Amino acid sequence: MNILNLEHISKIFGGKTIFDDVSYGIHEGDKIGVIGINGTGKTTLLKMIAGLESPDEGQVIMQNGLQITYLPQNPVFPAKADVLSYVADGRETQDWNTESEAKTVLNKLGITDHKEKIAHLSGGQRKRVALARTLVNPADVLILDEPTNHLDNEMASWLEEYLNKFRGVLIMVTHDRYFLDRVTNKILEINHGKLYSYEANYSKFLEQKAQREEMELASERKRQSVLKMELEWAKRGCRARSTKQKARLERLETLKNGKNLVQEAHVELDSVETRMGKKTIEFHHISKKYGKKVLINDFEYIVLKNQRLGIIGANGCGKSTLMKIITGNLEPDSGEIVIGDTVQIGYFAQEATEMDENQRVIDYVKDTAEYIPTKDGRITASQMLERFLFDSVMQYTPIGKLSGGEKRRLYLLKVLMEAPNVLILDEPTNDLDIPTLTILEDYLDSFSGIVIVVSHDRYFLDSIADRIFAFEGNGRLVQYEGGYTDYLEAVQRRQKKDDELQKVSLLRSDDKKNEKKEWKQNQPVKLRFSFKEQREYDMIDEEIAALEAKIEKLDTDMAANATNSAKLSELLAEKDQAERSLEEKMDRWVYLNDLADRIEAQNQR
């Protein structure tokens, strides 16, 4: 059932057509991810749905009494407000539970000082406070603009779970592709003023989009072929007779007036890196703390040539501090960092250096270089801007008129134009659109130099990192081979091993207690299976084998139903449940077999 409709919406902003007569219906249960390159109108669309901005033409019609809650990309806060009162006041109808719920959500988002003034918080902390206010306010429609910015991986996982349980409509813009995969059931793509809807999460959207574009190309090829044939007929007809078939001439006019297929624009990244010598970047016993808080403790590492390092950890653990030490913007308390003479660092900071809002885009780039060397030769600053999707009109636009994402893309261009051989990227995925991120990943894959990236974007880390450094408390940096998923699996294996060792330790502790009791009371305490444990021990091998066979069959069924999204979703849920059951059985198997071994050893004494 439709609860909200966009009807024949048109919108022009700064001479640019954002939406051109588009219509779209939003249904109950929709969880929509909005995708499009920066500047295409994603935030404008969210604002129109939230009722904060009006279309130039058309209308937004919604169900009576529909409650909408909106998280803006850059929230504005009242002066002198403290964290808890601001979040709790966001709830229209408050009760005794409101403050408790506000505290719970704030804690989940890493904001533990509930009486702190918002004015004293960092930009990332403020965004999380605004997100908390949005989540505690019950709504029929939840609109989120970049909710995953400034969330660490644990917070992002919690938000995924929260939104999956949310029963209303969700509409959001985010660059986090794993997040889109796990939360959305529809993708809405904005491209050249049009809306394209896909009944899919992000992974399926990529497949369906490729199919759509191929069909459009085939239709355009056919139109051009027929147009060519009709033009030839018209020329021959003019020579043969003075009158022509009216219907065929009308068809020719229709073909001629048909719009040519607009190819989707892509960012083109291309530059020449400065050659690097043998010495790269060396960390020698680096330590740094603020007050009593230790951020980095005795960090020792030599970065290898062409290495791709991903730095992860909770907010405030010291990731950006480490980046600033590398770039020389901050001195360590102790230790030394040695930078090779040929190292040329390009630093893409989390917060872009101040831009003159009145400066033209072209002048901002020319401040770095008039000409840029590329693999194909030298090109002008204007040509480089065009590769980054700043057309001739936008190049002479003041920076202040660019969207947040466009400013971020312009800043990235300036960093790459410096021809670095070491790229330091601090949260590069914040405010960059998914198409630009995809091209950036391809660029980094072929980049002849070192890449060190701080990011909470799990997909991005999987794409580019070959080693992960994780902040694991007390300033300790622990390294893991591979990308983020490899790191996660290694942590889970370690946790499982620790749990098993803890179980064994508890069992041994029980043994010691029993021995002590036996000595004191001079009576033996025999280990034995209970009736339930004996029955479980006898059957557990068969149950584990049955679960493994079930999972194998589910994999086969999923492959056979790859195109049936409803059936595939059902099979995925069933497989997830089977895998959880198998993990529980395996844990139980470890316990029962250990107990059986101890009983056997006891009986042999």
Side-chain angles (χ1 to χ4, degrees), residues 303-319:
V303 183
L304 305 177
K305 273 189 176 183
N306 301 323
Q307 197 162 40
R308 273 82 172 118
L309 303 180
I311 314 293
I312 65 172
N315 289 320
C317 67
K319 302 185 298 295

Side-chain angles (χ1 to χ4, degrees), residues 136-262:
V136 300
N137 187 15
D140 304 306
V141 180
L142 190 57
I143 302 175
L144 306 177
D145 198 347
E146 296 289 5
T148 57
N149 278 5
H150 311 292
L151 297 188
D152 63 33
N153 297 315
E154 187 178 340
M155 294 174 196
S157 297
W158 173 81
L159 185 59
E160 282 174 10
E161 186 179 348
Y162 181 95
L163 294 177
N164 279 322
K165 292 177 181 176
F166 177 66
R167 294 187 177 183
V169 168
L170 170 68
I171 308 168
M172 66 175 175
V173 171
T174 179
H175 59 263
D176 190 325
R177 287 155 285 184
Y178 281 154
F179 197 85
L180 284 170
D181 253 354
R182 293 164 185 167
V183 174
T184 61
N185 56 26
K186 284 186 178 179
I187 296 294
L188 190 61
E189 182 190 16
I190 306 175
N191 191 4
H192 296 290
K194 299 296 182 185
L195 294 179
Y196 298 92
S197 178
Y198 304 83
E199 301 271 344
N201 62 8
Y202 180 73
S203 295
K204 289 293 180 184
F205 149 75
L206 292 176
E207 296 174 18
Q208 293 180 18
K209 179 182 178 180
Q211 292 170 359
R212 174 182 69 78
E213 290 179 340
E214 182 55 40
M215 288 173 63
E216 287 179 347
L217 284 171
S219 297
E220 177 62 14
R221 286 194 295 267
K222 183 177 179 181
R223 188 183 77 86
Q224 292 290 347
S225 177
V226 173
L227 176 59
K228 184 177 179 181
M229 182 181 69
E230 291 296 318
L231 286 170
E232 288 298 323
W233 170 84
K235 290 176 184 176
R236 289 198 306 272
C238 286
R239 290 191 295 271
R241 56 187 181 274
S242 58
T243 59
K244 302 176 178 69
Q245 298 175 23
K246 185 178 179 182
R248 196 160 185 180
L249 284 173
E250 287 175 351
R251 179 186 175 191
L252 174 59
E253 285 303 312
T254 301
L255 288 166
K256 286 165 67 178
N257 293 330
K259 290 185 178 179
N260 289 327
L261 180 65
V262 179

Side-chain angles (χ1 to χ4, degrees), residues 154-433:
E154 187 178 340
M155 294 174 196
S157 297
W158 173 81
L159 185 59
E160 282 174 10
E161 186 179 348
Y162 181 95
L163 294 177
N164 279 322
K165 292 177 181 176
F166 177 66
R167 294 187 177 183
V169 168
L170 170 68
I171 308 168
M172 66 175 175
V173 171
T174 179
H175 59 263
D176 190 325
R177 287 155 285 184
Y178 281 154
F179 197 85
L180 284 170
D181 253 354
R182 293 164 185 167
V183 174
T184 61
N185 56 26
K186 284 186 178 179
I187 296 294
L188 190 61
E189 182 190 16
I190 306 175
N191 191 4
H192 296 290
K194 299 296 182 185
L195 294 179
Y196 298 92
S197 178
Y198 304 83
E199 301 271 344
N201 62 8
Y202 180 73
S203 295
K204 289 293 180 184
F205 149 75
L206 292 176
E207 296 174 18
Q208 293 180 18
K209 179 182 178 180
Q211 292 170 359
R212 174 182 69 78
E213 290 179 340
E214 182 55 40
M215 288 173 63
E216 287 179 347
L217 284 171
S219 297
E220 177 62 14
R221 286 194 295 267
K222 183 177 179 181
R223 188 183 77 86
Q224 292 290 347
S225 177
V226 173
L227 176 59
K228 184 177 179 181
M229 182 181 69
E230 291 296 318
L231 286 170
E232 288 298 323
W233 170 84
K235 290 176 184 176
R236 289 198 306 272
C238 286
R239 290 191 295 271
R241 56 187 181 274
S242 58
T243 59
K244 302 176 178 69
Q245 298 175 23
K246 185 178 179 182
R248 196 160 185 180
L249 284 173
E250 287 175 351
R251 179 186 175 191
L252 174 59
E253 285 303 312
T254 301
L255 288 166
K256 286 165 67 178
N257 293 330
K259 290 185 178 179
N260 289 327
L261 180 65
V262 179
Q263 296 288 338
E264 184 174 358
H266 292 290
V267 177
E268 294 180 45
L269 299 183
D270 183 18
S271 67
V272 174
E273 304 87 28
T274 305
R275 186 179 175 279
M276 186 187 297
K278 289 183 179 180
K279 183 171 281 190
T280 58
I281 300 174
E282 300 178 1
F283 300 90
H284 298 299
H285 304 288
I286 297 293
S287 294
K288 184 70 180 178
K289 65 180 181 179
Y290 283 110
K292 293 182 179 179
K293 185 175 182 180
V294 177
L295 297 180
I296 303 166
N297 184 23
D298 196 29
F299 180 51
E300 178 86 10
Y301 189 72
I302 297 175
V303 183
L304 305 177
K305 273 189 176 183
N306 301 323
Q307 197 162 40
R308 273 82 172 118
L309 303 180
I311 314 293
I312 65 172
N315 289 320
C317 67
K319 302 185 298 295
S320 292
T321 298
L322 181 62
M323 298 300 100
K324 289 174 182 176
I325 289 174
I326 298 172
T327 57
N329 295 325
L330 195 65
E331 288 292 325
D333 295 336
S334 61
E336 180 186 21
I337 182 165
V338 179
I339 308 289
D341 293 336
T342 59
V343 167
Q344 178 74 29
I345 293 176
Y347 180 37
F348 186 68
Q350 186 173 165
E351 300 293 336
T353 53
E354 274 193 30
M355 294 178 168
D356 181 353
E357 299 281 295
N358 297 315
Q359 188 178 27
R360 298 181 304 179
V361 170
I362 185 96
D363 295 328
Y364 175 80
V365 173
K366 283 183 176 179
D367 283 348
T368 301
E370 291 270 357
Y371 295 91
I372 300 95
T374 71
K375 293 172 184 176
D376 301 321
R378 214 170 62 145
I379 64 172
T380 65
S382 177
Q383 289 170 321
M384 195 66 175
L385 278 166
E386 285 179 0
R387 292 189 175 195
F388 268 61
L389 306 186
F390 293 100
D391 60 27
S392 56
V393 174
M394 291 183 72
Q395 290 178 24
Y396 290 89
T397 299
I399 291 173
K401 291 192 174 181
L402 301 180
S403 70
E406 286 169 332
K407 289 177 183 175
R408 194 85 171 142
R409 195 195 316 148
L410 182 63
Y411 175 44
L412 174 62
L413 168 59
K414 188 165 187 175
V415 171
L416 296 179
M417 283 175 61
E418 295 166 355
N421 50 28
V422 174
L423 274 173
I424 309 291
L425 307 175
D426 194 354
E427 294 292 359
T429 61
N430 285 357
D431 298 323
L432 282 183
D433 55 75

